[in-house]
Amino acid sequence: MYALVLAAGRGRRFGGDKLAAPFRGATIIGHVAGTLAHAMSARLLAGGVAVVPVRATALTWRLDTAGLEVVENPDAGTGLASSLRIGLAALAQPERSPVAAAALVVLADQPLLRLAVIEALISAWEAAPGTYRPRYADQPAEPGHPVLLGRADWALADALHGDQGLGALLTGHPGIRLVEVAGTNPDVDTPEDLRLLEDLT
């Protein structure tokens, strides 16, 4: 099981450099990378790949320090779909050991990512391999992240274009299974989103 961190967005609605924005004593990406580092040290994850824009030195350093393999996306400006495909291709390399049987797809702008949610998803997958996503108690009507994408479903990414993520495809996907979890895990699109997160406990 490997993480796939999608961190190549430009953050236009935020005003740029979103992932470096301060949040609760760290940065947005610092929180995400730290949680994944804990998951790797706990051996929930064998490792991970993070997809970043070309020449994103500070971002690369933070992700590399957390133990993630960093892959550049020269087409980052085209949207999320290209990053997803590049990341899955990196995880699918035949020399990777252990072989990646699933990918935990993580959005880099969700600093409330919790180890407990990762544990719940992986536990469900270990009991019955497939594709899973969390359903948060405080956001039951919204598609939850991270998505645990079973290897058999990686080809779904080939049908995506531009800024499309997996959400639209998985909503009607018959094999998707939900894991009930507490709380919430909103993403940060604007400075106002970040201010609202500061008020959450």
Side-chain angles (χ1 to χ4, degrees), residues 145-183:
H145 285 86
V147 172
L148 196 161
L149 195 65
R151 184 70 177 256
D153 288 328
W154 287 14
L156 290 173
D158 295 336
L160 299 175
H161 302 282
D163 211 31
Q164 285 182 311
L166 288 168
L169 292 176
L170 293 180
T171 298
H173 186 50
I176 187 72
R177 305 172 200 179
L178 297 176
V179 176
E180 305 291 340
V181 295

mmCIF file of all heavy atoms in Angstrom, residues 145-183:
data_model
loop_
_atom_site.group_PDB
_atom_site.id
_atom_site.type_symbol
_atom_site.label_atom_id
_atom_site.label_comp_id
_atom_site.label_asym_id
_atom_site.label_seq_id
_atom_site.Cartn_x
_atom_site.Cartn_y
_atom_site.Cartn_z
ATOM 1 N N HIS A 145 -12.277 12.107 1.045
ATOM 2 C CA HIS A 145 -10.892 11.784 0.711
ATOM 3 C C HIS A 145 -10.136 11.519 2.011
ATOM 4 O O HIS A 145 -10.541 12.007 3.056
ATOM 5 C CB HIS A 145 -10.235 12.943 -0.045
ATOM 6 C CG HIS A 145 -10.678 13.061 -1.460
ATOM 7 N ND1 HIS A 145 -11.811 13.753 -1.820
ATOM 8 C CD2 HIS A 145 -10.158 12.568 -2.610
ATOM 9 C CE1 HIS A 145 -11.951 13.690 -3.128
ATOM 10 N NE2 HIS A 145 -10.971 12.975 -3.632
ATOM 11 N N PRO A 146 -9.055 10.767 1.944
ATOM 12 C CA PRO A 146 -8.427 10.192 0.756
ATOM 13 C C PRO A 146 -9.202 9.004 0.188
ATOM 14 O O PRO A 146 -9.972 8.369 0.909
ATOM 15 C CB PRO A 146 -7.055 9.753 1.262
ATOM 16 C CG PRO A 146 -7.272 9.465 2.713
ATOM 17 C CD PRO A 146 -8.296 10.470 3.176
ATOM 18 N N VAL A 147 -8.969 8.728 -1.086
ATOM 19 C CA VAL A 147 -9.569 7.569 -1.744
ATOM 20 C C VAL A 147 -8.539 6.453 -1.775
ATOM 21 O O VAL A 147 -7.392 6.666 -2.176
ATOM 22 C CB VAL A 147 -10.002 7.911 -3.188
ATOM 23 C CG1 VAL A 147 -10.450 6.656 -3.924
ATOM 24 C CG2 VAL A 147 -11.119 8.941 -3.182
ATOM 25 N N LEU A 148 -8.933 5.276 -1.331
ATOM 26 C CA LEU A 148 -8.060 4.113 -1.434
ATOM 27 C C LEU A 148 -8.447 3.393 -2.728
ATOM 28 O O LEU A 148 -9.504 2.774 -2.810
ATOM 29 C CB LEU A 148 -8.220 3.198 -0.214
ATOM 30 C CG LEU A 148 -7.118 2.154 -0.013
ATOM 31 C CD1 LEU A 148 -7.119 1.640 1.427
ATOM 32 C CD2 LEU A 148 -7.229 0.994 -0.971
ATOM 33 N N LEU A 149 -7.595 3.515 -3.726
ATOM 34 C CA LEU A 149 -7.893 3.015 -5.065
ATOM 35 C C LEU A 149 -7.215 1.675 -5.292
ATOM 36 O O LEU A 149 -5.982 1.583 -5.380
ATOM 37 C CB LEU A 149 -7.409 4.027 -6.106
ATOM 38 C CG LEU A 149 -7.929 3.874 -7.539
ATOM 39 C CD1 LEU A 149 -9.436 4.113 -7.602
ATOM 40 C CD2 LEU A 149 -7.191 4.843 -8.463
ATOM 41 N N GLY A 150 -8.032 0.614 -5.359
ATOM 42 C CA GLY A 150 -7.498 -0.708 -5.634
ATOM 43 C C GLY A 150 -6.850 -0.770 -7.004
ATOM 44 O O GLY A 150 -7.270 -0.071 -7.929
ATOM 45 N N ARG A 151 -5.841 -1.608 -7.159
ATOM 46 C CA ARG A 151 -5.066 -1.657 -8.410
ATOM 47 C C ARG A 151 -5.970 -1.922 -9.624
ATOM 48 O O ARG A 151 -5.728 -1.387 -10.707
ATOM 49 C CB ARG A 151 -3.997 -2.750 -8.284
ATOM 50 C CG ARG A 151 -3.039 -2.880 -9.460
ATOM 51 C CD ARG A 151 -2.086 -1.703 -9.549
ATOM 52 N NE ARG A 151 -1.124 -1.850 -10.629
ATOM 53 C CZ ARG A 151 0.146 -2.192 -10.446
ATOM 54 N NH1 ARG A 151 0.628 -2.425 -9.237
ATOM 55 N NH2 ARG A 151 0.966 -2.281 -11.479
ATOM 56 N N ALA A 152 -6.993 -2.715 -9.459
ATOM 57 C CA ALA A 152 -7.881 -3.031 -10.578
ATOM 58 C C ALA A 152 -8.601 -1.803 -11.116
ATOM 59 O O ALA A 152 -9.075 -1.811 -12.260
ATOM 60 C CB ALA A 152 -8.903 -4.082 -10.157
ATOM 61 N N ASP A 153 -8.674 -0.732 -10.321
ATOM 62 C CA ASP A 153 -9.384 0.479 -10.741
ATOM 63 C C ASP A 153 -8.456 1.599 -11.194
ATOM 64 O O ASP A 153 -8.921 2.704 -11.509
ATOM 65 C CB ASP A 153 -10.285 0.984 -9.600
ATOM 66 C CG ASP A 153 -11.493 0.090 -9.376
ATOM 67 O OD1 ASP A 153 -11.976 -0.498 -10.352
ATOM 68 O OD2 ASP A 153 -11.939 -0.008 -8.217
ATOM 69 N N TRP A 154 -7.161 1.349 -11.239
ATOM 70 C CA TRP A 154 -6.239 2.409 -11.645
ATOM 71 C C TRP A 154 -6.501 2.882 -13.066
ATOM 72 O O TRP A 154 -6.278 4.046 -13.391
ATOM 73 C CB TRP A 154 -4.794 1.940 -11.503
ATOM 74 C CG TRP A 154 -4.330 1.839 -10.081
ATOM 75 C CD1 TRP A 154 -5.115 1.859 -8.963
ATOM 76 C CD2 TRP A 154 -2.989 1.692 -9.633
ATOM 77 N NE1 TRP A 154 -4.334 1.727 -7.842
ATOM 78 C CE2 TRP A 154 -3.028 1.621 -8.222
ATOM 79 C CE3 TRP A 154 -1.760 1.597 -10.272
ATOM 80 C CZ2 TRP A 154 -1.880 1.472 -7.451
ATOM 81 C CZ3 TRP A 154 -0.605 1.442 -9.520
ATOM 82 C CH2 TRP A 154 -0.665 1.388 -8.119
ATOM 83 N N ALA A 155 -6.976 1.991 -13.919
ATOM 84 C CA ALA A 155 -7.220 2.366 -15.313
ATOM 85 C C ALA A 155 -8.317 3.417 -15.454
ATOM 86 O O ALA A 155 -8.434 4.064 -16.508
ATOM 87 C CB ALA A 155 -7.588 1.128 -16.129
ATOM 88 N N LEU A 156 -9.116 3.628 -14.405
ATOM 89 C CA LEU A 156 -10.145 4.670 -14.455
ATOM 90 C C LEU A 156 -9.535 6.042 -14.746
ATOM 91 O O LEU A 156 -10.174 6.891 -15.367
ATOM 92 C CB LEU A 156 -10.908 4.724 -13.130
ATOM 93 C CG LEU A 156 -11.844 3.558 -12.805
ATOM 94 C CD1 LEU A 156 -12.375 3.692 -11.379
ATOM 95 C CD2 LEU A 156 -12.989 3.486 -13.807
ATOM 96 N N ALA A 157 -8.311 6.246 -14.300
ATOM 97 C CA ALA A 157 -7.656 7.541 -14.482
ATOM 98 C C ALA A 157 -7.437 7.870 -15.954
ATOM 99 O O ALA A 157 -7.312 9.044 -16.321
ATOM 100 C CB ALA A 157 -6.328 7.570 -13.734
ATOM 101 N N ASP A 158 -7.397 6.855 -16.801
ATOM 102 C CA ASP A 158 -7.172 7.099 -18.231
ATOM 103 C C ASP A 158 -8.332 7.846 -18.879
ATOM 104 O O ASP A 158 -8.175 8.440 -19.948
ATOM 105 C CB ASP A 158 -6.956 5.770 -18.965
ATOM 106 C CG ASP A 158 -5.673 5.073 -18.517
ATOM 107 O OD1 ASP A 158 -4.761 5.775 -18.026
ATOM 108 O OD2 ASP A 158 -5.593 3.837 -18.649
ATOM 109 N N ALA A 159 -9.507 7.806 -18.252
ATOM 110 C CA ALA A 159 -10.689 8.468 -18.821
ATOM 111 C C ALA A 159 -10.828 9.912 -18.355
ATOM 112 O O ALA A 159 -11.746 10.611 -18.793
ATOM 113 C CB ALA A 159 -11.950 7.688 -18.440
ATOM 114 N N LEU A 160 -9.928 10.375 -17.499
ATOM 115 C CA LEU A 160 -10.035 11.724 -16.944
ATOM 116 C C LEU A 160 -9.305 12.743 -17.809
ATOM 117 O O LEU A 160 -8.295 12.428 -18.445
ATOM 118 C CB LEU A 160 -9.456 11.746 -15.527
ATOM 119 C CG LEU A 160 -10.140 10.838 -14.508
ATOM 120 C CD1 LEU A 160 -9.373 10.875 -13.187
ATOM 121 C CD2 LEU A 160 -11.584 11.240 -14.300
ATOM 122 N N HIS A 161 -9.815 13.968 -17.780
ATOM 123 C CA HIS A 161 -9.204 15.045 -18.553
ATOM 124 C C HIS A 161 -9.197 16.324 -17.725
ATOM 125 O O HIS A 161 -10.040 16.522 -16.842
ATOM 126 C CB HIS A 161 -9.979 15.282 -19.849
ATOM 127 C CG HIS A 161 -10.086 14.076 -20.728
ATOM 128 N ND1 HIS A 161 -9.053 13.631 -21.527
ATOM 129 C CD2 HIS A 161 -11.115 13.207 -20.911
ATOM 130 C CE1 HIS A 161 -9.437 12.548 -22.172
ATOM 131 N NE2 HIS A 161 -10.671 12.259 -21.820
ATOM 132 N N GLY A 162 -8.245 17.185 -18.031
ATOM 133 C CA GLY A 162 -8.198 18.499 -17.395
ATOM 134 C C GLY A 162 -8.145 18.418 -15.880
ATOM 135 O O GLY A 162 -7.324 17.699 -15.317
ATOM 136 N N ASP A 163 -9.035 19.147 -15.233
ATOM 137 C CA ASP A 163 -9.017 19.206 -13.775
ATOM 138 C C ASP A 163 -9.965 18.190 -13.137
ATOM 139 O O ASP A 163 -10.340 18.332 -11.977
ATOM 140 C CB ASP A 163 -9.382 20.617 -13.306
ATOM 141 C CG ASP A 163 -8.695 20.963 -11.987
ATOM 142 O OD1 ASP A 163 -7.588 20.460 -11.737
ATOM 143 O OD2 ASP A 163 -9.267 21.729 -11.199
ATOM 144 N N GLN A 164 -10.358 17.180 -13.895
ATOM 145 C CA GLN A 164 -11.218 16.132 -13.338
ATOM 146 C C GLN A 164 -10.429 15.262 -12.364
ATOM 147 O O GLN A 164 -9.309 14.851 -12.655
ATOM 148 C CB GLN A 164 -11.758 15.224 -14.443
ATOM 149 C CG GLN A 164 -12.852 15.813 -15.295
ATOM 150 C CD GLN A 164 -13.330 14.800 -16.323
ATOM 151 O OE1 GLN A 164 -12.546 14.177 -17.026
ATOM 152 N NE2 GLN A 164 -14.641 14.632 -16.393
ATOM 153 N N GLY A 165 -11.054 14.974 -11.228
ATOM 154 C CA GLY A 165 -10.500 14.010 -10.298
ATOM 155 C C GLY A 165 -11.302 12.723 -10.366
ATOM 156 O O GLY A 165 -12.138 12.535 -11.263
ATOM 157 N N LEU A 166 -11.075 11.863 -9.417
ATOM 158 C CA LEU A 166 -11.759 10.566 -9.418
ATOM 159 C C LEU A 166 -13.218 10.659 -8.989
ATOM 160 O O LEU A 166 -13.991 9.742 -9.236
ATOM 161 C CB LEU A 166 -11.034 9.605 -8.470
ATOM 162 C CG LEU A 166 -9.682 9.080 -8.948
ATOM 163 C CD1 LEU A 166 -8.973 8.383 -7.791
ATOM 164 C CD2 LEU A 166 -9.861 8.130 -10.118
ATOM 165 N N GLY A 167 -13.596 11.771 -8.365
ATOM 166 C CA GLY A 167 -14.921 11.878 -7.769
ATOM 167 C C GLY A 167 -16.066 11.509 -8.687
ATOM 168 O O GLY A 167 -16.927 10.702 -8.338
ATOM 169 N N ALA A 168 -16.089 12.099 -9.886
ATOM 170 C CA ALA A 168 -17.207 11.863 -10.804
ATOM 171 C C ALA A 168 -17.305 10.403 -11.221
ATOM 172 O O ALA A 168 -18.401 9.845 -11.336
ATOM 173 C CB ALA A 168 -17.063 12.750 -12.037
ATOM 174 N N LEU A 169 -16.153 9.781 -11.426
ATOM 175 C CA LEU A 169 -16.161 8.382 -11.851
ATOM 176 C C LEU A 169 -16.571 7.446 -10.714
ATOM 177 O O LEU A 169 -17.304 6.481 -10.925
ATOM 178 C CB LEU A 169 -14.776 7.976 -12.367
ATOM 179 C CG LEU A 169 -14.327 8.633 -13.667
ATOM 180 C CD1 LEU A 169 -12.907 8.209 -13.995
ATOM 181 C CD2 LEU A 169 -15.259 8.264 -14.809
ATOM 182 N N LEU A 170 -16.120 7.758 -9.513
ATOM 183 C CA LEU A 170 -16.388 6.858 -8.394
ATOM 184 C C LEU A 170 -17.805 6.981 -7.860
ATOM 185 O O LEU A 170 -18.314 6.042 -7.244
ATOM 186 C CB LEU A 170 -15.388 7.114 -7.265
ATOM 187 C CG LEU A 170 -13.933 6.762 -7.578
ATOM 188 C CD1 LEU A 170 -13.055 7.060 -6.377
ATOM 189 C CD2 LEU A 170 -13.784 5.302 -7.980
ATOM 190 N N THR A 171 -18.433 8.132 -8.094
ATOM 191 C CA THR A 171 -19.794 8.320 -7.580
ATOM 192 C C THR A 171 -20.736 7.245 -8.099
ATOM 193 O O THR A 171 -21.559 6.711 -7.364
ATOM 194 C CB THR A 171 -20.322 9.716 -7.963
ATOM 195 O OG1 THR A 171 -19.483 10.701 -7.360
ATOM 196 C CG2 THR A 171 -21.749 9.905 -7.489
ATOM 197 N N GLY A 172 -20.618 6.901 -9.359
ATOM 198 C CA GLY A 172 -21.489 5.880 -9.918
ATOM 199 C C GLY A 172 -20.822 4.533 -10.101
ATOM 200 O O GLY A 172 -21.388 3.629 -10.732
ATOM 201 N N HIS A 173 -19.633 4.386 -9.543
ATOM 202 C CA HIS A 173 -18.877 3.145 -9.721
ATOM 203 C C HIS A 173 -19.454 2.043 -8.828
ATOM 204 O O HIS A 173 -19.542 2.212 -7.608
ATOM 205 C CB HIS A 173 -17.418 3.390 -9.372
ATOM 206 C CG HIS A 173 -16.515 2.226 -9.643
ATOM 207 N ND1 HIS A 173 -16.493 1.564 -10.842
ATOM 208 C CD2 HIS A 173 -15.601 1.609 -8.860
ATOM 209 C CE1 HIS A 173 -15.597 0.591 -10.787
ATOM 210 N NE2 HIS A 173 -15.052 0.600 -9.591
ATOM 211 N N PRO A 174 -19.845 0.911 -9.408
ATOM 212 C CA PRO A 174 -20.518 -0.115 -8.598
ATOM 213 C C PRO A 174 -19.627 -0.763 -7.543
ATOM 214 O O PRO A 174 -20.123 -1.308 -6.559
ATOM 215 C CB PRO A 174 -20.966 -1.138 -9.642
ATOM 216 C CG PRO A 174 -20.048 -0.934 -10.801
ATOM 217 C CD PRO A 174 -19.758 0.530 -10.821
ATOM 218 N N GLY A 175 -18.318 -0.691 -7.729
ATOM 219 C CA GLY A 175 -17.431 -1.370 -6.790
ATOM 220 C C GLY A 175 -16.965 -0.529 -5.626
ATOM 221 O O GLY A 175 -16.264 -1.021 -4.734
ATOM 222 N N ILE A 176 -17.357 0.742 -5.584
ATOM 223 C CA ILE A 176 -16.886 1.609 -4.506
ATOM 224 C C ILE A 176 -17.552 1.260 -3.189
ATOM 225 O O ILE A 176 -18.750 1.009 -3.128
ATOM 226 C CB ILE A 176 -17.128 3.091 -4.861
ATOM 227 C CG1 ILE A 176 -16.486 4.025 -3.819
ATOM 228 C CG2 ILE A 176 -18.611 3.391 -4.986
ATOM 229 C CD1 ILE A 176 -15.008 4.072 -3.887
ATOM 230 N N ARG A 177 -16.775 1.227 -2.128
ATOM 231 C CA ARG A 177 -17.302 0.935 -0.797
ATOM 232 C C ARG A 177 -16.987 2.103 0.127
ATOM 233 O O ARG A 177 -15.934 2.720 0.009
ATOM 234 C CB ARG A 177 -16.679 -0.348 -0.248
ATOM 235 C CG ARG A 177 -16.862 -1.540 -1.183
ATOM 236 C CD ARG A 177 -16.080 -2.747 -0.727
ATOM 237 N NE ARG A 177 -15.884 -3.693 -1.814
ATOM 238 C CZ ARG A 177 -15.202 -4.837 -1.704
ATOM 239 N NH1 ARG A 177 -14.645 -5.165 -0.552
ATOM 240 N NH2 ARG A 177 -15.059 -5.628 -2.747
ATOM 241 N N LEU A 178 -17.897 2.378 1.017
ATOM 242 C CA LEU A 178 -17.742 3.496 1.939
ATOM 243 C C LEU A 178 -17.322 3.003 3.310
ATOM 244 O O LEU A 178 -17.769 1.958 3.783
ATOM 245 C CB LEU A 178 -19.053 4.278 2.051
ATOM 246 C CG LEU A 178 -19.561 4.942 0.771
ATOM 247 C CD1 LEU A 178 -20.917 5.589 1.028
ATOM 248 C CD2 LEU A 178 -18.567 5.965 0.251
ATOM 249 N N VAL A 179 -16.461 3.792 3.945
ATOM 250 C CA VAL A 179 -16.021 3.519 5.313
ATOM 251 C C VAL A 179 -16.475 4.699 6.171
ATOM 252 O O VAL A 179 -16.099 5.848 5.903
ATOM 253 C CB VAL A 179 -14.494 3.358 5.389
ATOM 254 C CG1 VAL A 179 -14.047 3.179 6.836
ATOM 255 C CG2 VAL A 179 -14.037 2.176 4.539
ATOM 256 N N GLU A 180 -17.303 4.431 7.156
ATOM 257 C CA GLU A 180 -17.831 5.494 8.015
ATOM 258 C C GLU A 180 -16.755 5.954 9.003
ATOM 259 O O GLU A 180 -16.158 5.149 9.706
ATOM 260 C CB GLU A 180 -19.048 4.988 8.787
ATOM 261 C CG GLU A 180 -20.153 4.403 7.920
ATOM 262 C CD GLU A 180 -20.861 5.439 7.072
ATOM 263 O OE1 GLU A 180 -20.783 6.641 7.413
ATOM 264 O OE2 GLU A 180 -21.493 5.045 6.065
ATOM 265 N N VAL A 181 -16.520 7.278 9.018
ATOM 266 C CA VAL A 181 -15.512 7.844 9.922
ATOM 267 C C VAL A 181 -16.071 9.108 10.572
ATOM 268 O O VAL A 181 -17.011 9.723 10.067
ATOM 269 C CB VAL A 181 -14.189 8.164 9.185
ATOM 270 C CG1 VAL A 181 -13.528 6.888 8.677
ATOM 271 C CG2 VAL A 181 -14.427 9.137 8.046
ATOM 272 N N ALA A 182 -15.478 9.498 11.655
ATOM 273 C CA ALA A 182 -15.929 10.695 12.377
ATOM 274 C C ALA A 182 -15.373 11.958 11.740
ATOM 275 O O ALA A 182 -14.441 11.926 10.935
ATOM 276 C CB ALA A 182 -15.482 10.603 13.832
ATOM 277 N N GLY A 183 -15.962 13.088 12.128
ATOM 278 C CA GLY A 183 -15.394 14.383 11.796
ATOM 279 C C GLY A 183 -15.593 14.823 10.367
ATOM 280 O O GLY A 183 -16.593 14.546 9.728
#
